[in-house]
Amino acid sequence: MSGAGRYAPSPSGDLHLGNLRTAVLAWLFACGTGRDFLLRVEDIDTARSSRESAERQISDLVALGIDFDGEVLYQSSRFCAYESALAQLQDAGYVYECYCSRKDIREASSAPHTTPGMYPGTCRNLTEEQRALRRSQLASQGRVPALRLRSSVSSFTATDYYAGLIEAPIDDVILRRGGNASQGQDWAYNLAVVVDDAYQGIDQVVRGDDLLDQAPTQAYLASLLGLPPVEYVHVPLVLGPTGERLAKRDGAVTLRELGSASSVVRWIGESLGVAGAASLAEIRERFDPAALPREPVVWRG
């Protein structure tokens, strides 16, 4: 099997057990299918990302026994590629400016006949005169509009290893965020991840199943850009004692807090149905994707 798998953390803090377990699963799936395994640091959120955090995350992954092929790719070095992809979509008529604040979107989304969680299309069909006015109003505040995808389909499909064919509504997702004109605008996750997966030759994406619904949108965006589809593998999350997603509030949940890479490896192995494994090499030898428990794992500390 050619191609590659990847793990792509955001460097905004130390990885917790849920992140580490997903990283191990991504490594196992890549190894088990003869793919290369790549690491990408998703540091496009400039306000929350740091190189120090990225280095700590990489150190923790290596301490568990995960190895990577090739150089680490930092998304902060890829802005020209996102500009090029955005220009391609603009030339094809798939981009429009959005002048809404978060409050505007929240209020519009709560109105009758709108789909919860989806952009209600407030700025989609404004006239040129209306756009000029809204653009001017933002400029007077030192701000610039966001750029959204003008989707031409109501739904799209993607393929997942466990869920099979996934069909979901397609939203007019943000491609580049608006904000303070003097600070520059952050690129949005959906555009960056699609462009970088294709650039790195990634055709297998293993990640938490909280992102399952985003797969069709990303598959649709890839199709508009003429990029090859990927196979998704969405895996169960790790939950805290209260049943919510694992977080710092649940106590010692990072490798550095727990202090022992070997104990974390054993716990991850048990959660994957490989009890008693002393190393990732042993987990790899015994791991069966078909036997992966499909329910979320609860960390009780």
Side-chain angles (χ1 to χ4, degrees):
M1 172 69 70
S2 60
R6 51 86 160 167
Y7 184 60
S10 299
S12 57
D14 288 347
L15 300 172
H16 59 59
L17 282 173
N19 307 137
L20 296 172
R21 181 178 187 266
T22 300
V24 169
L25 278 164
W27 179 79
L28 289 170
F29 269 91
C31 292
T33 53
R35 289 176 165 90
D36 286 343
F37 188 57
L38 309 178
L39 178 65
R40 182 169 71 234
V41 176
E42 298 199 332
D43 57 347
I44 53 173
D45 187 342
T46 54
R48 300 179 62 224
S49 300
S50 75
R51 184 59 66 103
E52 178 186 5
S53 177
E55 291 172 353
R56 288 167 63 91
Q57 291 180 348
I58 294 169
S59 175
D60 287 352
L61 294 170
V62 171
L64 291 184
I66 295 177
D67 55 352
F68 302 96
D69 297 294
E71 298 292 326
V72 178
L73 182 70
Y74 286 80
Q75 284 191 326
S76 56
S77 70
R78 296 276 298 153
F79 288 0
C80 288
Y82 310 148
E83 286 279 8
S84 178
L86 178 64
Q88 181 180 341
L89 293 171
Q90 287 174 318
D91 290 345
Y94 286 113
V95 180
Y96 66 92
E97 291 182 342
C98 177
Y99 316 95
C100 297
S101 66
R102 288 189 179 90
K103 180 181 178 183
D104 294 334
I105 296 172
R106 186 166 56 248
E107 291 176 349
S109 297
S110 65
H113 312 300
T114 60
T115 303
M118 296 187 69
Y119 180 65
T122 308
C123 297
R124 182 182 174 101
N125 297 315
L126 297 179
T127 65
E128 288 304 316
E129 291 77 12
Q130 290 171 321
R131 293 188 187 283
L133 175 61
R134 296 296 300 276
R135 197 180 299 121
S136 175
Q137 290 171 337
L138 281 185
S140 68
Q141 304 166 19
R143 302 178 66 79
V144 295
L147 298 179
R148 284 189 180 273
L149 175 70
R150 184 186 295 275
S151 62
S152 61
V153 299
S154 59
S155 64
F156 205 75
T157 59
T159 302
D160 181 77
Y161 181 88
Y162 289 110
L165 199 63
I166 319 156
E167 183 173 6
I170 298 302
D171 197 4
D172 284 4
V173 294
I174 288 179
L175 302 172
R176 192 176 70 190
R177 303 188 185 284
N180 192 312
S182 65
Q183 296 178 354
Q185 286 69 61
D186 285 334
W187 292 99
Y189 167 75
N190 282 303
L191 178 66
V193 73
V194 166
V195 171
D196 286 341
D197 280 345
Y199 172 73
Q200 293 187 279
I202 290 164
D203 61 355
Q204 181 188 72
V205 173
V206 180
R207 60 190 186 184
D209 60 13
D210 57 323
L211 297 175
L212 181 67
D213 290 343
Q214 291 193 29
T217 294
Q218 291 166 10
Y220 173 59
L221 188 52
S223 74
L224 294 180
L225 291 168
L227 303 177
V230 303
E231 178 193 46
Y232 292 96
V233 184
H234 290 89
V235 297
L237 300 176
V238 177
L239 307 180
T242 63
E244 298 181 358
R245 290 181 59 173
L246 191 67
K248 294 287 288 183
R249 64 175 176 271
D250 297 314
V253 294
T254 70
L255 176 58
R256 292 167 188 269
E257 291 168 336
L258 294 168
S260 169
S262 59
S263 64
V264 170
V265 166
R266 283 194 297 272
W267 182 85
I268 290 175
E270 290 174 0
S271 77
L272 303 182
V274 184
S279 67
L280 289 193
E282 186 178 349
I283 294 176
R284 174 182 174 179
E285 186 73 22
R286 297 166 52 195
F287 176 66
D288 178 6
L292 177 70
R294 301 299 303 132
E295 297 299 318
V297 180
V298 178
W299 166 253
R300 303 191 183 279

